[in-house]
Amino acid sequence: MKKLVFLLFFCLPFMAFAQLRKGLVTDKNGVPIDGVTISLRHADSTLAVQLSKTGLFSFPQSLKGTYNLALKAVGYKNLMKRLDLPIDSVIIIMASDEKTLEQVTVSASKPVIVRKIDRVIFNVENSIIASGTTVWDALGKAPGVQTKFDGGITANNKGVVIYMDDKPIRLSGEDLAAYLRSLPSDNISKIEIIANPTARYDAQGGAVINIISKKPKGDGYNAVLSGGYTQSSYSSYNPSMVFNYRKDKINVYGSYGYSHRKKDHSESEYVIFDSPVNYADWRNEKSGIRMGNANSYKIGADYNLTKQQVIGILVNGYNGANNRPNRTLTNIINNHAALPDSILQTENVSNGKASQYSFNFNYKIKLDTNGRNINVDLDYVPYQNKNSQQVDTYGISGNGIPLPNQYHIFTPSNQNIDIYSGKVDYTDKFWKKWTFESGLKYSSIRTRNSFDFYNNPATGLQLVSSRSDRFEYAENISAVYASITGDAGKWSFESGLRGEYTHTNGKSIALNTNNQNHYFKLFPTVFVAYKLNKDNEINLHYNSRISRPEYWRLNPFKSYTSPYTYLEGNPALQPAFIYNGELGYTYKQQYNISFYLRRVVDYFSNITVQDNTSKLFYDTQRNLDLSQEIGFSASFPIKAADWWEINNYAQGSYRKEKSGYLQARYDYHVWGIYLSSNHAITLNKAHGLKAEVSAWYSSPTIQGIYKLEKLYDVSAGMSKSILKSKGTLRLAVNDIFYSNVYRIDVNYDNQRNGFVEKSDTRSATLSFSYRLGGNPTAARKRTSASEEEKKRAQ
């Protein structure tokens, strides 16, 4: 490679015009240095500035006389070289600066939050309050991202698909939350929030959150060891490690994390059953503990067949177990009486085990040196989830007499999912500034679910066949896409089109149903930017997306939490279609404001149903008509001082949701605001002492028939570099005011219910990380074939 660079260097002057000057900057061994800042100066003026590419630089100006070249590069001593122009070529040698390298190791860091036109980057490894906890906790600190009590995640009010290193996590709901809680945040480098994904991404989901893990790289062996201890009502802890070994043509890397989690959980719920013959007010006070242990691990290897070809294998694994004992005390007050007519006490114990493995084979070939390549991925992902639930309800009348018909059930369930997928991507570059991408993908998903309902009297388990079920679901998706990206003067373009053909089939034994669906849809993406000048830019974006129901939403099984409450899915759910339009303005590549319009047709949501006559209350799934939102978002970083960096974000919106539901229609609308501010403070640069304060606020909003109250969070932390800057000690306090509490109310067509849920979010975390070997940098990143399916698994 070095010989090729020198050959090009000496040949180019003869191929160029006489006015063109060529330069090469190398180290003392003759190796070209990339990324050198080179300034052409005359007297006290700077005439031009360039960044070396593979050591090469040029100044095409026709100049005569004596000039100075100022060269700067990380790890090298600053250099000033005097030149008499014109001159055909020059070679400049820069000397390394060991002192500078040490300083970079100590103090160089990325900003906590970086905003780009197409995404927001949350650098977890540089965030004190997000380090030492879990990936789930870190997500809640990312700007615009909200994690919900039921495992749901939104970004800027959009539903999202979660990716890990460009590969989607095929879990959803509480299983997704459990998996992310098993991953230590110290294994994570950054989180990317991509509001408007390109055609290369699967069309699934309104937005994409890509979690990038740390991947140390360098000759020999290096690793990062981490551990965190969290104290809330109970204690939790999570040790982890990331390692890498590289020699010659082979690179082996991996990670391991273990988490033990124990959290308090409480909920206050009300349901008012109002019928012509009776008025009943049910008040439920739930208290319990959510405990879990999980192992997450990854091992991968890349082997360079030639300089142009590389093959790789990657295996990810997750094994988790959870235990959730809950106690619910229900006071039933009839006809506005002063005292309860009866009291129910329910003991509910839920246990579960889940395991997921992901096997990936990758082959990549570079067809030329201009960026033309082919990438092939093959994936197999098996997933298994076993759960069991024991429910025992005892009742007494208002005067203390035990009620008859005590309720005792046992409900084991099992889910198996197999996902096969493959994809081929082709990339080509032409006209220097244009890139063409295209690809094919096929995925096949099979799920098998079983649910058994047992009465649990003292004499032994008794199977109730009418309440048991078997459910099978199959889904096949074929996709093709093409996109082109490039610049033309002051214009920048990105345009793509993705087509997906989907075929699904869901069978329920108990319901005697067979729901089939097949459709072909096109999903266009258009992005146009125009630079008014070096500081001002306007951009326009449009795309369409699809939101397919997660597999657990389709599962019709009834999961009872008491004799009168249960949850069930809906195998007849249809996909929702999302349409996004956005007009933005950027100043100095830092300050952004955009105005957007988002429309979701046939969106689906969980909804509650209460039977005011039978006093039955349950949660189910269904398609609703329309959700529409118009609003703005703005980001404005502030450099208050050299030691104080502030990142502010604001989003305002007018949201409207309407649909027919039950025997009536609703048409809700609400004004909303979301604000966040992150402050990164360097207290003592020489000693590596830093602090961070983060706060966000979300105003009341709506989701279908649900009305959600405001939420806010304030967290803070400090960190200290120790052990010659190879170690970092952090202390963080999250949700200081215990304000991240969910409050939801329903008041619609004789449906009156709601709840307040606390999930033990206030905590203190002490964590430590230590680096062995060289400085960690990114290893080869690749996208596997199994794109979106794992996200939707239960």
Side-chain angles (χ1 to χ4, degrees), residues 27 152 176 199 210 240 312-313 325-326 391 437 581 642 675 719 722 725 786:
D27 62 13
L176 173 62
N210 191 21
S240 65
I313 57 173
N326 291 280
V391 180
E437 293 181 318
D642 290 340
L675 304 171
S719 70
I722 57 177
S725 298
S786 49

Side-chain angles (χ1 to χ4, degrees), residues 35-39 41 51 70-74 76-79 94:
V36 180
T37 302
I38 307 166
S39 304
R41 297 179 179 178
L51 204 65
L71 295 90
K72 294 182 179 181
V74 175
Y76 296 88
K77 294 180 180 179
N78 294 343
L79 179 64
M94 296 187 71

Side-chain angles (χ1 to χ4, degrees), residues 547 574-577 600-604 622-627:
S547 180
Q574 298 296 307
F577 294 94
V600 184
V601 179
D602 291 333
Y603 84 103
F604 48 82
R622 67 158 291 171
N623 287 98
L624 303 171
D625 292 346
L626 177 68
S627 176

Side-chain angles (χ1 to χ4, degrees), residues 439-480:
L440 301 169
K441 179 190 171 184
Y442 177 78
S443 63
S444 175
I445 303 99
R446 296 291 185 274
T447 73
R448 299 171 303 281
N449 309 270
S450 64
F451 176 82
D452 292 318
F453 187 103
Y454 292 93
N455 281 325
N456 190 23
T459 56
L461 297 176
Q462 296 178 355
L463 179 66
V464 182
S465 300
S466 60
R467 291 191 171 186
S468 302
D469 200 357
R470 300 292 182 269
F471 178 67
E472 295 182 359
Y473 177 79
E475 179 179 276
N476 299 290
I477 301 176
S478 303
V480 58

